[in-house]
Amino acid sequence: MQKHSLLADLVDIRDQIARDQETSREQLQHRDRKIGLENDRPLSAGGTRLRRWINVIREQEGLSNSQVSSGIKAQQTINIVITLLWLLGAICGWILTQAVLFYDGNQPVNIISALLVLVCSQLFTLLLLLVFSLLGLPGVLRSLSVFNPAALLLGLLKRINSDRLEAISKLISSTAITGTAALRQRLIVYLAQHFTVALNLGIIAALLYLVAVSDLAFGWNTTLEVDTHSVARWFEGISWPWQSLVPAAVPDIQLVETSRYYRLQGQLRNGDWQAEQLGSWWIYILMCVLVYGLLPRLLALIISGVQYDRAVSGAMTSASGANQILARMSSPLVSTIAEGEDDSAIIKNVRPPLTRRQSGRDLPCLVIEWSEARSSTDKLTAVGIEPLQYFSAGGHQTLAEDRNMVVHIASHNPQGIAVVVKSWEPPLLEFLDFLRSLRGRLDKTCPLIVLLTAISGEQVEAYQLESWEASLADLSDPALYVEPL
Amino acid sequence: MEAQIPVFAIVGHPNKGKSSIVSTLAQDSSVSVSPLSGTTVHCRTYPMRVDGKELYRLIDTPGFQRARAAMDWMQRHSASASDHVEVVGKFVEKHRNHQHFSSECELLTPILAGAGILYVIDGSIPYGPEYDAEMEILRWTGQPSMALINQIGKAEYFEQWQQPLSQYFKIVRVFNAQTASFDRQIQLLTGFSELSDDWHQPLRQAADQLRAQRRHRLNLSARCITEGLVNIMQASERSNLSNKDDQVEIDKSIEEFQRKLIKMESRMRSEVESYFNYHRLEREEAALGIASEDLFSERTWKLFGLSRDQLVTTGMIGGAAGGSLLDIGSGGLTMFLGSGLGAIIGGASAWFGAKQLIGTRILGLPMGGHQVVVGPITNLNFPWVLLGRAITHLKLVSQRTHAMRDQLEITHSTGSDIVSNIPSAQRRAIQRIFTSATKGHAVKEAELSRMVETIVSLVATDPDSMKQDKSSEASLDTI
């Protein structure tokens, strides 16, 4: 499995989460659980598990899509930015040194000014970074980033090629729960360290070049009445870190004394120009740049690199949707839903609806109570039916008893038959069979009235009547009626 | 050899809630449930799988249509009680390819293959003799069986059913598919193991997995709400103005911003619903009661937000926290004046801020012209209103059974007092998240996790569901 940088993984994870919005939750669950079962080690850190996840997704996607991912593009862009910062830093360091150590042979280079520009300014910015980072004042740092070469370069590149920087820009512009507010800061600080390391290397290269191809003379001057011994102690104090390692880079009292310079007289304090001796300051400047410039910046580069990696990892696990991915990978896929499509048939009334019975004089009827559905003469009379005789069918009656009863009824040549049924029970096919057998024995015009009784104290519901009408319409019997009792 | 998994055939008279019970137990809203009879014409299988491994299977079957005729056939072909199972098998074999007994053959097939019988009746209607033939046929199959009294209507005829059911079934349970809480569902599922000792272990395992799944779903939903709220609190809308005093354009931007927030909230709802397998609810969302209780209506604010007193208290706490920074910065030289002043300012802005919900800023553009920035909403009560609605919705969705097909409604009784009942320590922690989000600051993962836990605990220990459980518990005992 190909390894990608943390940033590439972060960008691709966020991209994939955005793409997953279009995919159903079931599909995501299946995909991620499969990845989880095959590749995941649940005890690993969240970031590690997410990286493993995105690598598998990349592999799966890669089979059908050979395009470079946004994450890889983002990392390439960052690499370009780092390269440009190295170039820029080295050039700046070179030019700065050339300017600071400009020497035309008239007056020596002021060693204090050189140290202030080449070393102290760097120490100052480093100190600011340290203080604001420790105090946790990201707002101040953000405001100061307008002077940050890395931030400036990113801003410039965004104007030139916004597409390339889109992923990074999206990444660092979002805030809050995505955890990328910290990432933006870390990225800028980390990139800036590349610039400053290159700047120091540029300074050192330019210094060595000047020393190699030209003669340099250094001096120092002041209006104040300063004791040379104090100044010498000050220089010596600065060179404390390398005193034992490079004794030649520690200026002695004689060199300090000799290097004091007065512009009015246009000469050195002791009056003698000893160019070779005055040039020996270069090794002191070199050590100052190495120890107070390059070394802290290298350390800052390493620390900011670690912090940047941590911020990327943090942004990875706090990305909106990352928790869900981890949960999908580690949670068993529990499925309880049905297999296949539902082929349930919702009854549609495709037959012509039953006709309504004409109201008029009472119709003398034989009454059949189906499955112990009870009726009363009063109720039957109320719906225009004059009960002549009561019979039972369905329920505990056997099929043979039902058949005999039908034959018996048919022999009476009835004017009408009322079948009382329970409205709360659905019309079964068994009942339809019974009605068919009844009609088979009767005249086709003999009214067959199905009367729905309700549970005691209740009324027949509209849906119950509808259900019975829909089912009985299947019989296509023009003399069949359904009514509530 | 692999042990046989438990299989349960849900059988019974048509329209007695077989599909509702399956729908609830399988957490599947795709099951057709209709008051019209004969909705289910073929068996449908609901396997319970964990990472592809099947633990049990439910089979929804069509209802008996010609039970008396089938019984009549069987009685005619049986010589003695010892051949009952064989006769049922012969019946299915003979009529398998005929339309006449299609329902009976369809429902008897899985039982003859070894499925346990769950015979469903509706306890809200009286017992009738038409059920006897069905129960007798099931007894003839010789398979382990249990009767489930479902309650579709309001009336209770449990007593009337007790005698006939106990003649045919050793175990009889009451289970309301519409209102059964999750714990009830699990209790019923594990109760199936009473049918066979071999089923004890897989059903227990299944119950454990379903419990874990529910915890997982609640966590995911709470996380979705937490992240969704932070996103809403950060949201703003920018649009260019031709004239900085163009009130029509500004009002349009405010409306656009409101729509954006409502859409974000609606997306959050859909996601929560999908965690609980509700996909049809999503389509019905436009008609949900939530929409009628508009996010920006005064009534909604009264129902779901914090009370004035609580708002002022929370505002004072927020303000005091800000002021205390001043105290710490000065090393205590301000004599804690910062905290006091912050509390007063925070409380006052909470009091007066409720009236001014959506703030706008007009910015000048470098190349000329103006831009209106609407939001983020800084009003202190706004996120609490959102949280109250979101928790209410989660509560309703998590307590809903899949047999319920009515609309999801957030009413006064379901929505009140939710956020007000959050303990003050948790409320303060949540307020810190809201404040950070509004200011566009990063919110720590640990803080988000704590909020997720708070939401889960509010939903999991909901007194309403406990009440519901207690009332159904009384009637769940074996008859």
Side-chain angles (χ1 to χ4, degrees), chain B residues 328-378:
Chain B
I328 295 164
S330 66
L333 287 174
T334 51
M335 305 294 284
F336 301 103
L337 188 67
S339 304
L341 197 63
I344 292 165
I345 293 169
S349 58
W351 180 271
F352 295 109
K355 285 183 181 173
Q356 178 73 35
L357 176 59
I358 303 173
T360 55
R361 283 176 295 144
I362 309 290
L363 303 177
L365 293 173
M367 301 296 285
H370 290 87
Q371 195 174 52
V372 60
V373 183
V374 188
I377 295 182
T378 51

Side-chain angles (χ1 to χ4, degrees), chain A residues 300-317:
Chain A
L301 178 65
I302 293 166
I303 293 167
S304 64
V306 171
Q307 286 180 326
Y308 165 66
D309 280 355
R310 274 194 198 159
V312 176
S313 296
M316 220 179 259
T317 46

Side-chain angles (χ1 to χ4, degrees), chain A residues 364-368 386-391 409-410 412 414 416-419:
Chain A
C365 284
L366 298 176
V367 179
I368 303 168
E386 183 195 339
L388 299 176
Q389 200 177 345
Y390 289 89
F391 298 90
I409 281 177
H412 282 73
I417 292 179
V419 187

Side-chain angles (χ1 to χ4, degrees), chain A residues 33 176 342 397 402 425 433, chain B residues 32 51 66 68 131 234 274:
Chain A
R33 181 59 181 157
D342 184 13
Q397 304 293 114
D402 283 358
E425 293 293 358
D433 293 343
Chain B
S32 294
D51 283 334
R66 292 182 170 101
R68 266 193 331 146
Y131 293 88
Q234 288 181 323
S274 77

Side-chain angles (χ1 to χ4, degrees), chain A residues 151-292:
Chain A
L152 291 172
L153 185 65
L154 282 174
L156 188 70
L157 283 177
K158 202 174 164 187
R159 282 171 188 271
I160 298 168
N161 189 347
S162 57
D163 286 351
R164 263 230 167 260
L165 274 175
E166 197 192 341
I168 300 169
S169 149
K170 247 197 264 172
L171 194 70
I172 59 182
S173 62
S174 48
T175 52
I177 56 170
T178 56
T180 50
L183 173 63
R184 183 185 188 280
Q185 209 54 53
R186 299 290 180 214
L187 176 66
I188 299 287
V189 170
Y190 171 63
L191 290 176
Q193 302 322 304
H194 283 278
F195 174 83
T196 51
V197 168
L199 181 88
N200 281 291
L201 290 174
I203 292 169
I204 291 165
L207 176 64
L208 292 175
Y209 172 78
L210 286 174
V211 169
V213 302
S214 65
D215 64 310
L216 289 174
F218 298 91
W220 63 277
N221 55 1
T222 176
T223 315
L224 304 172
E225 282 184 22
V226 179
D227 176 23
T228 311
H229 280 86
S230 311
V231 177
R233 272 199 302 278
W234 188 73
F235 281 120
E236 203 179 318
I238 289 174
S239 59
W240 171 82
W242 61 87
Q243 242 169 12
S244 52
L245 285 171
V246 195
V250 183
D252 55 20
I253 180 74
Q254 196 192 348
L255 178 64
V256 176
E257 185 111 15
T258 312
S259 309
R260 187 161 187 176
Y261 169 69
Y262 294 96
R263 284 185 296 171
L264 185 63
Q265 292 155 350
Q267 60 179 34
L268 294 165
R269 195 181 183 187
N270 62 8
D272 297 325
W273 278 97
Q274 295 176 16
E276 197 180 331
Q277 200 178 357
L278 294 183
S280 66
W281 277 100
W282 75 267
I283 194 160
Y284 177 76
I285 294 175
L286 177 68
M287 287 312 292
C288 281
V289 174
L290 273 174
V291 173
Y292 297 111

